[in-house]
Amino acid sequence: MSQIHCLSLTQVRDLLRTRELSARECTAACLDRIARTDPTLDALLHVAGDEILREAGLLDTAGPDPSRPLWGVPITVKDVLATKGMPTTCGSRILENFVPVYDAHCVAKLREAGAIILGKANMDEFAMGSSTENSAFKTTKNPWNTSHVPGGSSGGSAASVAAGQCFASIGTDTGGSIRQPASFCGIVGLKPTYGRVSRRGLVAYGSSLDQAGPMTRTVRDAAEVLQVIAGHDPKDSTSVNVPVPDYVGVLGQRESLAGLRLGLPEEYWGKGLTPEVEQACRTAVDLAAGLGAEIVPVSLPHTEYAIATYYILAMAEASSNLARFDGVRYGRRSPHVQDLASMYTKSRSEGFGEEVMRRIMLGTYVLSAGYYDAYYKKAAQVRRLIRQDYLRALEKCDLICGPASPTTAFAIGQNTADPLQMYLTDIFTISLNLSGLPGLSLPVGLGRDSNLPVGLQLFGGSMDEVRMLQVAATLEAALPQLPAPPLP
Ligand code: GLN
């Protein structure tokens, strides 16, 4: 069983169920894979110790439980989600020593389903970034080429799944942080509809945008994980109380795409797109057409305002959410303190990294008296127009599709000197968060120039994850399978 890391979550789960593989063996194989690959990749900030093998052993003693769909399956979790008894740093010095006393709602659901939480994945500090280079601790490398970034902010999650350290990871997506790293690392990433997965225990960055979701090697695996983590949570006021459909059961029912109207927004298929991304994505769209989908041109006319709108709103929300980190209630307090005021300023300026401080300052500025109307209020109005664009386009088609990112994974250090350039890389992902709708990134091949993965995004209507997953599974089955990343 030395090749366990090449199996999908579904395959490994089936072996666990029939006891062809024990939970302990499976967990040990993942720990071994981590020991072999993480010194190169730096995907994880914390790896559980021997207690995890004992936990797996207890599962084995009790025997497989078919009512627990992830029984014995090792999973990693982005370090922005609270994990009881396991550090939760958000990639920040300010939370370096923080160990939560409770599990995030989605983590609790994973544990109830029998999953084993192997460790915590590296991320941009407080999920602010697109490359994982903003982590206070280390930069994760892309398993396909270690001089390139894995994307961000859930870059640790994406790299750990692509490298076979685990069978799934939970990422979070405020402006693309599940879908963009999934596309850079050649895996599937799904951002559910806002409110589909509870945000309780997800350390808030932009509360009106944040959403946790699965990052996996196959579409079916994403459905399996979503099935577990989706659902109403009365303790999160933004959690939506609608029944959870059978995401897994509907897969494989759709061999052709006849009757599907696939919308191609003109704003996503033109300037700024590198030729290799365009080519790989167009090939996948041609494949969809060959399977019977009707290709419909659509328009999302406010796309050009999406970056400005997002960065105003996300920074405003961040400046308010991050006010709680003050050296009193959570995390680190500066040792160089003379009085109350210096305790606040020193704890915060020593604890937060440069990008986080930039965003807190800009967010405070756009919310300040005199500027609120010009920036925050205006951005909130444009947000509505962006959502309307999607709703109008979805009257003409069933799903919208476009590239997940204009480029494949860029080189480490390439965009760090210019924050604006880094923000521009989010052009194809952020408007979806502003609209609250679900999106999925599917690997469609390797770029002909960079030899790095390319992701195609599918956007659906509110709560239409079912259709998105079905169509993604049909396309996945028809596309050539990606090779494994070139790791030892
Ligand atoms: N890159 C975007 C940002 O820096 C999105 C991050 C995210 O989705 N968490 O805000």
Side-chain angles (χ1 to χ4, degrees):
M1 283 286 175
S2 61
Q3 295 301 307
I4 293 174
H5 65 269
C6 301
L7 301 175
S8 70
L9 177 150
T10 315
Q11 288 168 327
V12 97
R13 194 263 322 271
D14 293 348
L15 291 178
L16 286 160
R17 266 192 194 163
T18 53
R19 302 204 100 162
E20 282 162 83
L21 178 68
S22 73
R24 197 169 198 284
E25 251 179 301
C26 185
T27 303
C30 288
L31 291 175
D32 181 55
R33 183 80 184 150
I34 291 170
R36 273 192 292 133
T37 54
D38 220 49
T40 316
L41 296 178
D42 283 323
L44 303 179
L45 288 173
H46 175 79
V47 181
D50 285 347
E51 75 275 9
I52 205 82
L53 288 172
R54 277 197 296 278
E55 190 185 319
L58 288 176
L59 283 182
D60 286 328
T61 311
D65 178 350
S67 72
R68 301 174 81 190
L70 300 179
W71 188 90
V73 176
I75 280 178
T76 64
V77 172
K78 185 178 181 181
D79 209 25
V80 72
L81 290 156
T83 39
K84 188 174 176 180
M86 208 184 253
T88 299
T89 67
C90 296
S92 181
R93 294 254 170 245
I94 209 157
L95 286 176
E96 203 165 6
N97 303 317
F98 177 53
V99 180
V101 292
Y102 70 101
D103 277 327
H105 185 257
C106 59
V107 173
K109 291 259 212 171
L110 290 170
R111 288 199 210 268
E112 269 166 44
I116 292 179
I117 311 297
L118 274 181
K120 304 300 291 290
N122 194 22
M123 54 182 284
D124 286 300
E125 187 173 4
F126 285 103
M128 298 176 186
S130 311
S131 65
T132 319
E133 290 164 294
N134 291 339
S135 164
F137 303 109
K138 53 194 183 182
T139 295
T140 300
K141 323 300 180 296
N142 190 313
W144 292 85
N145 180 337
T146 51
S147 59
H148 287 244
V149 303
S153 62
S154 314
S157 289
S160 82
V161 172
Q165 297 180 343
C166 58
F167 296 96
S169 191
I170 305 295
T172 64
D173 193 314
T174 305
S177 282
I178 289 177
R179 292 160 288 146
Q180 184 255 27
S183 86
F184 279 12
C185 291
I187 62 165
V188 176
L190 191 159
K191 181 201 96 74
T193 308
Y194 183 78
R196 180 71 288 185
V197 175
S198 169
R199 288 188 302 111
R200 179 154 54 93
L202 190 183
V203 179
Y205 158 23
S207 322
S208 76
L209 304 153
D210 299 337
Q211 187 63 195
M215 304 179 77
T216 55
R217 291 199 283 275
T218 71
V219 175
R220 178 170 288 275
D221 292 354
E224 292 276 2
V225 175
L226 183 64
Q227 197 76 58
V228 168
I229 62 175
H232 181 234
D233 173 13
K235 293 186 184 150
D236 168 8
S237 62
T238 58
S239 158
V240 180
N241 192 1
V242 294
V244 177
D246 184 356
Y247 298 119
V248 180
V250 298
L251 296 181
Q253 288 176 3
R254 191 160 194 164
E255 274 170 30
S256 111
L257 296 180
L260 176 82
R261 295 168 306 159
L262 201 55
L264 262 55
E266 56 180 288
E267 296 78 5
Y268 280 54
W269 291 88
K271 71 175 191 302
L273 202 55
T274 53
E276 60 168 357
V277 170
E278 172 152 24
Q279 189 210 23
C281 289
R282 288 231 184 254
T283 306
V285 170
D286 291 346
L287 188 72
L291 290 166
E294 181 194 344
I295 308 300
V296 185
V298 294
S299 175
L300 302 168
H302 294 93
T303 300
E304 63 174 300
Y305 306 112
I307 292 203
T309 306
Y310 168 84
Y311 277 98
I312 290 173
L313 296 174
M315 290 186 193
E317 293 187 23
S319 77
S320 157
N321 279 325
L322 271 57
R324 75 192 67 175
F325 303 105
D326 55 7
V328 179
R329 288 166 288 189
Y330 304 85
R332 187 176 185 280
R333 178 180 297 182
S334 169
H336 317 109
V337 165
Q338 293 90 36
D339 52 22
L340 186 66
S342 73
M343 183 197 69
Y344 285 131
T345 48
K346 290 224 162 96
S347 298
R348 282 168 72 78
S349 45
E350 288 167 17
F352 288 136
E354 198 182 316
E355 181 62 26
V356 173
M357 288 200 273
R358 176 171 20 253
R359 294 191 187 200
I360 292 173
M361 284 193 288
L362 284 167
T364 308
Y365 178 82
V366 300
L367 288 174
S368 56
Y371 294 106
Y372 178 91
D373 283 353
Y375 295 109
Y376 183 81
K377 195 167 156 206
K378 180 62 82 189
Q381 288 164 336
V382 179
R383 177 181 194 167
R384 176 161 294 263
L385 297 176
I386 290 172
R387 179 173 160 83
Q388 273 168 9
D389 280 357
Y390 275 102
L391 299 182
R392 284 211 185 101
L394 285 164
E395 284 167 10
K396 293 202 197 119
C397 61
D398 305 305
L399 290 178
I400 299 175
C401 115
S405 165
T407 66
T408 54
F410 43 87
I412 291 173
Q414 188 178 320
N415 288 329
T416 39
D418 182 354
L420 208 56
Q421 194 53 41
M422 190 72 95
Y423 301 165
L424 291 174
T425 64
D426 299 334
I427 177 74
F428 296 143
T429 49
I430 51 182
S431 43
L432 194 76
N433 301 73
L434 293 167
S435 74
L437 300 174
L440 179 149
S441 175
L442 177 74
V444 291
L446 298 179
R448 63 176 177 211
D449 304 320
S450 63
N451 216 24
L452 290 168
V454 176
L456 180 79
Q457 271 189 107
L458 297 172
F459 307 123
S462 187
M463 296 287 164
D464 202 6
E465 284 85 357
V466 165
R467 184 160 24 196
M468 240 168 47
L469 285 163
Q470 269 187 328
V471 170
T474 308
L475 272 176
E476 180 187 53
L479 281 161
Q481 217 188 330
L482 282 195
L487 286 169

